[in-house]
Amino acid sequence: MNRTFLAASLLALSLGGCAANTSSVAHASEQAAQTGVQWSLVDTIDVEAINSDLEIGKPTVDIGLYYPSNLHPDAVEILPLGGLVEEFQNAKKVFEPTGVQLNLLWVKTGTVDPSHLAISASKWETELPSGGYGNMYVQSAIHPTEMSDGAVESFETIIEPALQNSRTVYLVAMQNVYMPYYEDLDGGRNWAPKMVNTSGLSFPSYSYADTIPNRIRGVITLTKHDSTNKLTIAHELGHKLMNVSHEYRDVSPQHEIRSDEGLMLYGSGTEIPSGQDGRWHQERLLLSPYIYRTDATGERNWNADYQAGGVYYDPIYANAAIQFD
Ligand SMILES: [Zn+2]
């Protein structure tokens, strides 16, 4: 969540794309199924205690945390497992006022092919400068960013097959996740290709739409623990679950704003505002396809899935979307 990362995320909103190379994606999936990681539970973390405040019937998000056992020692130092657990517990508090509760499924560790721990997030050829017509969400829906083949292969290998894969959020500790973007050099005429080393990346559907294989669409990468505000996980969950970029009240996502208000701006803010003035953040959160409610018989009732690939103006949001220039 450093400043560079924020700027890149804003730029990445309008990065473009062409049709997905589905055959190579399918091939990567088959390979992954054969070479999955041997994960085991981290028994020093008391998941039951962390979940002890969960209530039946409340809107709930299932979240798993993968923490590779062979991260480089320097990476462990800036991304300690204890710090991530602390951030998860803080995220529970951040979402509490909205009524949404976070269910920690498990924390797992295992040896991951080191080549899967450092990746480029998206395909260069799907990126476009942000200087086009229409707001960033409109441009992203026309040209979604596509996850790189290397990233797809990593997550297909890391995330275990499960019945509710596409409705589950997976926090994955990584070493380096680079995001390509274009920097405006002179007011929109010349653009320079750049790469930013991210602290956390949510692969949000307002940017990637349905180009990510459904099974792994819930992935969020973590590469740096926020030891000051302890908000990286909460902020990235905000991107994934509200499906919005860096915006807050009258701040549209074009602007890079440092502020201590609002979970989705850069700083110590945690507010998830509601209503049109709040850019419908709370309403959008409660419509997330990652949310279910358990009824009295124990059955899970899931929210409706996206109808248009999860773009910002997906019909599931109806009027809970801001029309802006
Ligand atoms: Zn962000």
Side-chain angles (χ1 to χ4, degrees):
M1 288 221 310
N2 56 44
R3 194 175 175 82
T4 327
F5 170 50
L6 178 64
S9 301
L10 295 174
L11 287 164
L13 266 175
S14 66
L15 301 178
C18 51
N21 184 345
T22 47
S23 65
S24 82
V25 167
H27 185 62
S29 297
E30 284 162 27
Q31 283 184 327
Q34 293 160 12
T35 58
V37 180
Q38 296 298 308
W39 293 108
S40 58
L41 294 173
V42 178
D43 51 17
T44 52
I45 294 168
D46 191 346
V47 171
E48 211 172 303
I50 292 171
N51 290 332
S52 60
D53 58 344
L54 299 184
E55 292 173 38
I56 288 173
K58 285 179 80 170
T60 307
V61 181
D62 280 354
I63 301 172
L65 170 57
Y66 287 117
Y67 193 86
S69 56
N70 58 322
L71 292 174
H72 189 282
D74 294 348
V76 171
E77 203 161 303
I78 63 167
L79 193 72
L81 179 55
L84 295 184
V85 171
E86 206 180 345
E87 282 199 31
F88 181 87
Q89 285 172 307
N90 195 34
K92 283 170 61 111
K93 286 185 207 138
V94 169
F95 283 90
E96 196 173 13
T98 68
V100 172
Q101 57 186 10
L102 309 181
N103 177 35
L104 182 60
L105 293 174
W106 34 254
V107 179
K108 290 182 180 177
T109 191
T111 308
V112 174
D113 179 337
S115 72
H116 291 152
L117 295 176
I119 56 169
S120 172
S122 46
K123 295 179 182 172
W124 258 121
E125 65 268 30
T126 67
E127 310 285 352
L128 281 182
S130 58
Y133 299 102
N135 74 41
M136 290 178 165
Y137 294 136
V138 169
Q139 292 186 46
S140 275
I142 296 169
H143 290 291
T145 298
E146 287 180 37
M147 194 179 263
S148 73
D149 288 346
V152 170
E153 192 185 314
S154 292
F155 303 138
E156 289 279 20
T157 307
I158 288 170
I159 297 172
E160 302 155 285
L163 194 60
Q164 297 296 353
N165 268 150
S166 69
R167 303 290 194 137
T168 304
V169 174
Y170 296 98
L171 303 173
V172 181
M174 303 277 278
Q175 291 183 172
N176 293 104
V177 177
Y178 298 99
M179 188 165 63
Y181 68 101
Y182 287 97
E183 184 177 80
D184 185 355
L185 296 180
D186 54 7
R189 179 171 162 83
N190 288 284
W191 298 78
K194 295 258 180 167
M195 278 275 196
V196 61
N197 196 1
T198 63
S199 304
L201 190 61
S202 64
F203 297 90
S205 65
Y206 65 77
S207 182
Y208 289 81
D210 56 3
T211 67
I212 300 177
N214 217 33
R215 193 183 83 74
I216 58 169
R217 70 177 184 177
V219 68
I220 291 175
T221 54
L222 301 169
T223 35
K224 190 167 183 246
H225 165 50
D226 171 16
S227 57
T228 308
N229 296 316
K230 307 184 197 321
L231 281 172
T232 301
I233 289 179
H235 176 88
E236 297 306 330
L237 285 172
H239 283 308
K240 196 68 131 189
L241 303 176
M242 295 180 229
N243 202 9
V244 299
S245 183
H246 303 113
E247 53 166 54
Y248 176 73
R249 297 196 180 274
D250 56 353
V251 180
S252 292
Q254 283 95 339
H255 309 292
E256 182 185 343
I257 299 285
R258 180 185 289 268
S259 165
D260 287 330
E261 291 179 301
L263 178 63
M264 300 319 294
L265 294 185
Y266 171 59
S268 62
T270 59
E271 191 199 351
I272 298 172
S274 64
Q276 181 158 7
D277 290 347
R279 302 186 86 89
W280 306 110
H281 282 187
Q282 193 167 314
E283 290 79 2
R284 293 176 66 89
L285 168 66
L286 288 164
L287 288 165
S288 171
Y290 294 96
I291 285 180
Y292 66 86
R293 292 165 180 78
T294 306
D295 67 21
T297 67
E299 193 168 334
R300 293 178 168 194
N301 298 302
W302 292 89
N303 276 354
D305 204 351
Y306 298 127
Q307 293 171 30
V311 298
Y312 175 82
Y313 295 107
D314 193 289
I316 68 161
Y317 298 114
N319 295 324
I322 301 290
Q323 307 296 330
F324 63 100
D325 294 331

